[in-house]
Every structure is written in C-alpha cells, then in structure tokens.
Amino acid sequence: HQMLRALELKPLRVEHFRTSNEPEFEHKLEDVVGLYLNPPENAIVLSIDEKSQVQALERAQPILPLRPGIPERQTHDYERHGVTNLCAALNAASGQVIGACADRHCAEDYIEFLKLVDQNTPRGKMLHLIVDNASSHDTKAVRDCLAKRPKRFQVHHTPTHSSWLNLVERWFGELTGKRIRRGVFVSVEDLEQAIEGFLAAWNHEP
C-alpha cells in the first residue's frame, strides 16, 4: 500500500467506455445539439426520459455524518419497501422539469406522461422531444398518439448508447445525489413525496 501511494499507482482503477454503432450517429448528434444551442422559433425543446426502478430503501441504522478524517458511513444492510418509476421532461431553455411517478414503465404510462407535458406547456408552441431509444418510446401506440398531433409534437432520437446527450440524465444525477442516495424511505409513498418535494424546490429556482 505504501509503495502504491509513493509511486502514485492505482492498479484497481477502471474506466468504462461504450461506443455507438448507430449509422446515423453524426446526423443525430448534430440534430440534438443543434436543438440545445439554436432552438427553433415558437418552440420548446424538452429532454425526456425515465428513471426506472427507483428503490425506497430504509437503512438498518441511521447514516453517520462525516467528521474530520472520517467519511460518511452507511450500513450495508437495508430493507426494501418497493420501487417507483419517474418520468421527467427537462425544458432545455428554462431548466424547469415536469415529472410524474408511476407504478410501471411501459408505453401506456409514457403516453399518459406526454398528455401531462401537453397540459403543462404553453399552447400554440411546437414541442421538440429529445428521447432515447427505449422500447417504450417507439411502440405503435406511441407513434399513433404522436401522429394525431403533428403540429404539437416532433420527436428527435439520440444515437444508441448516447444517453449523455440527453440533458435530463444530468438532472436525474442531481436528484439522486441530493435527495435519493442519502435518503431513508419507509414506503414508496414516502419516496414519491421526496421526489415531488425536490421537483418543487428545483422549479422554484431552476
């Protein structure tokens, strides 16, 4: 251990990477980044995705806070109280987020969320939706729903294995790091209330 530290060697460190085999990678990359940097007039750009299987965990003992020279400590064992699935739409211009929790993660729930987005965005504006390639985003039911509103919804898919292009993923990181990871939740309802509280606080000053 002393030798590794002295020589600044970290043989256990691993960096992961994943390349995309998307034939239209460059085109889709330019399309998505172009929407972020230069959105169309009279339109709203929304980054949409699901954070599925969010667990309501109750630790066996309270988390011990960090002290000088001692990191925060958590018990390894916990009790699961169920899961929820969060769908969120991040407004790329304002930073505000529309979010809703559901019991399932399927096309029907995604369609319901699109209706919620429709209700909570100004009328008369085209909604450009940036989504990944999840199966629930591209079923016949979803395509039929969007086809009925061609002047309201326009879908832009990120390339495969390129979730880093979807801004809402960054917001999921904020939610996880600041509210969920260190939280103690005795039920799914408790977890969903915490998520809703974070959403309200975030949208107060996005």
mmCIF file of all heavy atoms in Angstrom, residues 4 39 58 69 111 146 172 181 184 189:
data_model
loop_
_atom_site.group_PDB
_atom_site.id
_atom_site.type_symbol
_atom_site.label_atom_id
_atom_site.label_comp_id
_atom_site.label_asym_id
_atom_site.label_seq_id
_atom_site.Cartn_x
_atom_site.Cartn_y
_atom_site.Cartn_z
ATOM 1 N N LEU A 4 2.462 1.679 -3.476
ATOM 2 C CA LEU A 4 1.499 2.170 -4.465
ATOM 3 C C LEU A 4 1.247 3.658 -4.287
ATOM 4 O O LEU A 4 1.185 4.415 -5.257
ATOM 5 C CB LEU A 4 0.183 1.395 -4.351
ATOM 6 C CG LEU A 4 0.224 -0.079 -4.767
ATOM 7 C CD1 LEU A 4 -1.116 -0.739 -4.491
ATOM 8 C CD2 LEU A 4 0.581 -0.208 -6.236
ATOM 9 N N PRO A 39 -32.498 26.604 -30.687
ATOM 10 C CA PRO A 39 -33.847 26.041 -30.786
ATOM 11 C C PRO A 39 -34.695 26.786 -31.813
ATOM 12 O O PRO A 39 -34.504 27.995 -32.021
ATOM 13 C CB PRO A 39 -34.405 26.226 -29.367
ATOM 14 C CG PRO A 39 -33.599 27.335 -28.773
ATOM 15 C CD PRO A 39 -32.239 27.228 -29.373
ATOM 16 N N GLU A 58 -34.794 1.640 3.283
ATOM 17 C CA GLU A 58 -34.680 2.052 4.681
ATOM 18 C C GLU A 58 -33.451 1.376 5.267
ATOM 19 O O GLU A 58 -33.390 0.153 5.390
ATOM 20 C CB GLU A 58 -35.920 1.660 5.467
ATOM 21 C CG GLU A 58 -35.867 2.096 6.919
ATOM 22 C CD GLU A 58 -37.075 1.618 7.710
ATOM 23 O OE1 GLU A 58 -37.864 0.817 7.171
ATOM 24 O OE2 GLU A 58 -37.220 2.040 8.866
ATOM 25 N N GLY A 69 -11.465 13.682 8.977
ATOM 26 C CA GLY A 69 -10.701 12.461 8.759
ATOM 27 C C GLY A 69 -11.526 11.194 8.635
ATOM 28 O O GLY A 69 -10.985 10.118 8.405
ATOM 29 N N ILE A 111 -47.404 7.447 -22.687
ATOM 30 C CA ILE A 111 -48.436 8.238 -23.356
ATOM 31 C C ILE A 111 -49.139 9.151 -22.356
ATOM 32 O O ILE A 111 -49.414 10.321 -22.651
ATOM 33 C CB ILE A 111 -49.441 7.302 -24.059
ATOM 34 C CG1 ILE A 111 -48.768 6.616 -25.257
ATOM 35 C CG2 ILE A 111 -50.675 8.081 -24.521
ATOM 36 C CD1 ILE A 111 -49.615 5.536 -25.908
ATOM 37 N N LEU A 146 -48.626 10.280 -31.241
ATOM 38 C CA LEU A 146 -47.901 11.450 -31.731
ATOM 39 C C LEU A 146 -48.365 11.867 -33.125
ATOM 40 O O LEU A 146 -48.382 13.061 -33.454
ATOM 41 C CB LEU A 146 -46.404 11.145 -31.744
ATOM 42 C CG LEU A 146 -45.757 10.918 -30.377
ATOM 43 C CD1 LEU A 146 -44.317 10.412 -30.537
ATOM 44 C CD2 LEU A 146 -45.766 12.194 -29.553
ATOM 45 N N PHE A 172 -31.356 13.863 -13.469
ATOM 46 C CA PHE A 172 -31.519 12.647 -12.671
ATOM 47 C C PHE A 172 -30.340 12.482 -11.715
ATOM 48 O O PHE A 172 -30.496 12.017 -10.588
ATOM 49 C CB PHE A 172 -31.628 11.422 -13.578
ATOM 50 C CG PHE A 172 -32.958 11.278 -14.280
ATOM 51 C CD1 PHE A 172 -33.040 10.663 -15.518
ATOM 52 C CD2 PHE A 172 -34.116 11.749 -13.692
ATOM 53 C CE1 PHE A 172 -34.260 10.525 -16.165
ATOM 54 C CE2 PHE A 172 -35.346 11.618 -14.332
ATOM 55 C CZ PHE A 172 -35.416 11.001 -15.575
ATOM 56 N N ARG A 181 -30.014 9.247 -2.779
ATOM 57 C CA ARG A 181 -28.941 8.343 -2.327
ATOM 58 C C ARG A 181 -28.794 8.334 -0.810
ATOM 59 O O ARG A 181 -28.551 7.282 -0.219
ATOM 60 C CB ARG A 181 -27.623 8.749 -2.982
ATOM 61 C CG ARG A 181 -26.457 7.831 -2.598
ATOM 62 C CD ARG A 181 -25.192 8.194 -3.355
ATOM 63 N NE ARG A 181 -25.326 7.893 -4.774
ATOM 64 C CZ ARG A 181 -25.035 8.760 -5.750
ATOM 65 N NH1 ARG A 181 -24.634 9.968 -5.452
ATOM 66 N NH2 ARG A 181 -25.173 8.406 -7.010
ATOM 67 N N VAL A 184 -33.765 8.093 3.530
ATOM 68 C CA VAL A 184 -34.312 6.908 4.184
ATOM 69 C C VAL A 184 -35.814 6.934 3.938
ATOM 70 O O VAL A 184 -36.502 7.870 4.346
ATOM 71 C CB VAL A 184 -34.017 6.911 5.699
ATOM 72 C CG1 VAL A 184 -34.686 5.721 6.375
ATOM 73 C CG2 VAL A 184 -32.520 6.895 5.952
ATOM 74 N N GLU A 189 -44.662 5.594 -1.058
ATOM 75 C CA GLU A 189 -45.288 6.916 -0.930
ATOM 76 C C GLU A 189 -44.315 7.929 -0.350
ATOM 77 O O GLU A 189 -44.264 9.087 -0.785
ATOM 78 C CB GLU A 189 -46.539 6.823 -0.052
ATOM 79 C CG GLU A 189 -47.689 6.033 -0.655
ATOM 80 C CD GLU A 189 -47.476 4.526 -0.629
ATOM 81 O OE1 GLU A 189 -46.581 4.067 0.137
ATOM 82 O OE2 GLU A 189 -48.173 3.815 -1.354
#
